[in-house]
Amino acid sequence: MFDINRFEAFPLSQNSYLCPMKPFSLAIHGGAGTILRSRMTPEKEAIYKAGLSEALTAGHRILAANGSALEAVTTAVVLLENNPLFNAGKGAVYAGDGTHLLDAAIMEGHHPMAGAIAGVRGIKNPILLARKVMEDSAYVMMIGQGAEEFARLKGLDFAPQTYFHDALRYEQWLRVKDTPITQLDHADKGEKNFSTVGAVALDQQGHLAAASSTGGMTNKRFGRVGDTPLIGAGTYANRLCAVACTGHGEPFIKAVVGHDIAARMQYKGLSLAEATDEVVHQKLVDMKGLGGLISVDAKGRVAMPFNCEGMYRAAQIGMQEAEVEIFR
């Protein structure tokens, strides 16, 4: 499907003005929440920022080399899934049955196309399965064992449960297992992190794409699914904007956050910044919905609002300097 090593850095030459690049942008996130500054050591912050920078650089390289937004968001999310710092793929939180139930979604806004999976076990990179659903099936969403069967049919990689294990998240689960308590990632010691990962991009062809992946909530039961794999809620793209959300999934689902931002731009004539601000800081706050989102519009403008203490995020517009931040 893609090879993150086949795109070399875009060569800047003295004659580059003869063939100017069209606008392109990439933004990524690694979750949001009450991330406490008091517990964020310089060493820990550097590790998180390095993980974000790696994913951003790989996706940006694709866009700079005239690759597609779809390829860029896929590549960025794969690298975040492979990083155990984030609650997606490797290092995903434990569900109530002691396994890892993985959700993901991807959408390309120009055509449009979308694919999503939910409640899947053992798939090494859930975002690749969501993309297979989009490109190689007549469906938009697959769940559980059926999605796993489709993944095997398409030759995607599976991994043993030990691959997904993370000691901290296992300890979190042990404290609440066999109880009705469901926790957000890192919900102990005053932190409540919504550790979904996501990416949004505009490519030089003017196409927009969004991708998201998550392990959900610690000790989730009864097949609970959040907003991440729901097209129009946690993940959305059309010809106006691309949106990837991170937050307490239930309010984001009720608010239909991704589509609502696009609708406010289309029907109210709002800018991306205005639309995302209204949804994140007004609509979601009224619904007690904590979290944030990353977004990009058809002109390459980026908005990354959040209504909590922090959000692991990074963005790069064209060949400008990259921004990698956690706190405000």
Side-chain angles (χ1 to χ4, degrees):
M1 181 176 296
F2 71 95
D3 180 356
I4 63 174
N5 296 313
R6 68 185 173 90
F7 290 91
E8 296 182 356
F10 188 86
L12 295 178
S13 71
Q14 291 181 343
N15 296 322
S16 61
Y17 65 88
L18 297 175
C19 185
M21 287 183 290
K22 294 181 179 179
F24 65 94
S25 298
L26 175 68
I28 66 172
H29 76 77
T34 53
I35 306 164
L36 302 181
R37 286 182 181 270
S38 60
R39 298 189 63 215
M40 181 61 72
T41 65
E43 294 78 14
K44 185 178 179 181
E45 182 172 358
I47 292 172
Y48 273 102
K49 286 187 173 182
L52 292 168
S53 294
E54 179 188 22
L56 184 72
T57 299
H60 181 268
R61 185 180 298 125
I62 291 170
L63 296 174
N66 207 27
S68 71
L70 193 60
E71 206 76 17
V73 297
T74 302
T75 298
V77 170
V78 163
L79 288 171
L80 293 170
E81 288 177 335
N82 292 346
N83 190 329
L85 289 174
F86 305 106
N87 173 24
K90 184 179 179 65
V93 298
Y94 280 79
D97 63 358
T99 66
H100 307 274
L101 295 174
L102 309 172
D103 307 332
I106 191 166
M107 187 166 187
E108 195 272 350
H110 185 75
H111 292 93
M113 306 183 295
I117 55 101
V120 173
R121 293 180 173 89
I123 185 74
K124 187 175 181 180
N125 289 111
I127 197 63
L128 297 185
L129 178 52
R131 184 164 171 179
K132 282 292 185 183
V133 172
M134 178 180 71
E135 295 179 331
D136 293 354
S137 84
Y139 307 137
V140 169
M141 190 171 195
M142 297 182 187
I143 64 171
Q145 293 182 352
E148 294 164 19
E149 180 182 353
F150 181 74
R152 293 186 180 94
L153 181 66
K154 294 299 176 180
L156 294 181
D157 291 336
F158 281 73
Q161 183 159 325
T162 53
Y163 170 82
F164 301 96
H165 174 77
D166 177 81
L168 174 61
R169 293 185 174 118
Y170 183 66
E171 291 171 5
Q172 292 172 341
W173 176 65
L174 288 179
R175 288 196 288 270
V176 296
K177 66 172 292 198
D178 301 323
T179 77
I181 298 172
T182 301
Q183 285 190 331
L184 303 169
D185 183 29
H186 296 301
D188 55 334
K189 299 182 180 178
E191 288 188 302
K192 294 182 179 180
N193 292 355
F194 313 102
S195 298
T196 309
V197 305
V200 294
L202 169 74
D203 62 32
Q204 295 188 58
Q205 286 70 50
H207 297 174
L208 292 152
S212 303
S213 182
T214 188
M217 303 174 78
T218 298
N219 205 42
K220 64 182 179 181
R221 303 190 299 161
F222 311 121
R224 182 264 182 187
V225 176
D227 65 304
T228 295
L230 301 186
I231 301 299
T235 308
Y236 188 69
N238 64 6
R239 296 191 180 196
L240 291 174
C241 65
V243 181
C245 302
T246 173
H248 189 181
E250 280 69 15
F252 277 70
I253 294 170
K254 296 172 187 176
V256 199
V257 168
H259 182 268
D260 190 30
I261 288 167
R264 288 170 190 253
M265 294 175 68
Q266 181 173 358
Y267 301 123
K268 293 181 68 175
L270 299 184
S271 68
L272 181 71
E274 291 168 337
T276 56
D277 182 74
E278 281 191 359
V279 172
V280 172
H281 295 295
Q282 297 178 36
K283 184 177 184 179
L284 280 172
V285 169
D286 290 342
M287 299 175 67
K288 302 187 186 305
L290 288 175
L293 59 86
I294 54 173
S295 58
V296 61
D297 69 12
K299 294 185 178 180
R301 293 171 293 204
V302 170
M304 301 188 289
F306 52 96
N307 59 25
C308 44
E309 294 297 319
M311 182 167 72
Y312 299 103
R313 64 199 188 278
Q316 190 165 7
I317 298 173
M319 301 307 295
Q320 297 178 23
E321 185 177 353
E323 172 189 346
V324 184
E325 300 291 345
I326 298 174
F327 302 103
R328 297 189 185 281

